[in-house]
Amino acid sequence: QVQLVESGGGLVQSGASLRLSCAASGLTASRYSMAWFRQAPGLERECVAVISWNTGTTHYAESVKGRFIISRDNAENTVQMQMNALKPEDTAVYYCAAGSYRAVLRGQADYWGQGTQVTVSS
């Protein structure tokens, strides 16, 4: 059974940092591109960051470029996202996802985590 379990969310003030982590089990994470999505109330789910399974190529939403950094540890089957200079508009539920690079960029994934809440107060 495949599981993606997110951790690291919380309530922080504007300008603070958080580090999200996703632990994958039941699959070999090194064979999947991994991504972080987010969804705020009333808004569509947004792909925030993607990292490819083989070359480590990354892609970021314009709204987080220069502030968020996605990384992966294939040996540990984990993916992380360092979020810096957080803004109130970053408030959302953040989801870890695994799938092909192109599909993930289209908002599709083979596997999804349950999500972790990130709240940024002004």
Side-chain angles (χ1 to χ4, degrees), residues 50-99:
V50 184
I51 185 166
S52 69
W53 71 273
N54 51 353
T55 65
T57 299
T58 57
H59 173 86
Y60 296 93
E62 286 295 325
S63 58
V64 306
K65 275 184 181 178
R67 300 188 297 122
F68 291 10
I69 302 171
I70 189 171
S71 60
R72 65 189 302 160
D73 185 335
N74 287 341
E76 295 292 327
N77 248 17
T78 60
V79 61
Q80 294 80 31
M81 185 163 70
Q82 178 68 36
M83 305 187 296
N84 301 318
L86 283 162
K87 305 174 182 180
E89 51 264 44
D90 294 318
T91 295
V93 178
Y94 284 71
Y95 298 91
C96 177

